[in-house]
Amino acid sequence: LRRRKKFEGELFWVYILLYAITRSVIEFFRGDYRGTLFGGLLSTSQTIGIVMAVVAACMIWYLKRQEARG
């Protein structure tokens, strides 16, 4: 991905996005106490991962749009 990046910061934000998604999936399969967020549905790590994924996706979209403008 480093050789094919289209704008500055793409590699960083793709890493953050993939890390957040992976962390949320791993937390889903863990057998320990999940937490109290949303009635015990999500753990704290899953919530942080979801927020990080949304921020990373928005930044990728924003930076890609800025690069297209020139």
Side-chain angles (χ1 to χ4, degrees), residues 50-69:
I50 291 168
V51 170
M52 285 173 51
V54 169
V55 169
C58 289
M59 285 302 296
I60 290 169
W61 175 79
Y62 174 76
L63 292 172
K64 185 183 264 187
R65 203 170 123 207
Q66 289 295 100
E67 184 66 26
R69 286 184 179 177

Side-chain angles (χ1 to χ4, degrees), residues 15-46:
Y15 172 79
I16 296 297
L17 178 66
L18 294 176
Y19 175 81
I21 291 169
T22 304
R23 179 65 188 229
S24 295
V25 170
I26 289 171
E27 284 289 319
F28 178 76
F29 290 109
R30 289 183 63 178
D32 59 348
Y33 177 68
R34 296 186 58 89
T36 59
L37 298 171
F38 303 109
L41 181 65
L42 296 175
S43 69
T44 304
S45 297
Q46 284 176 312

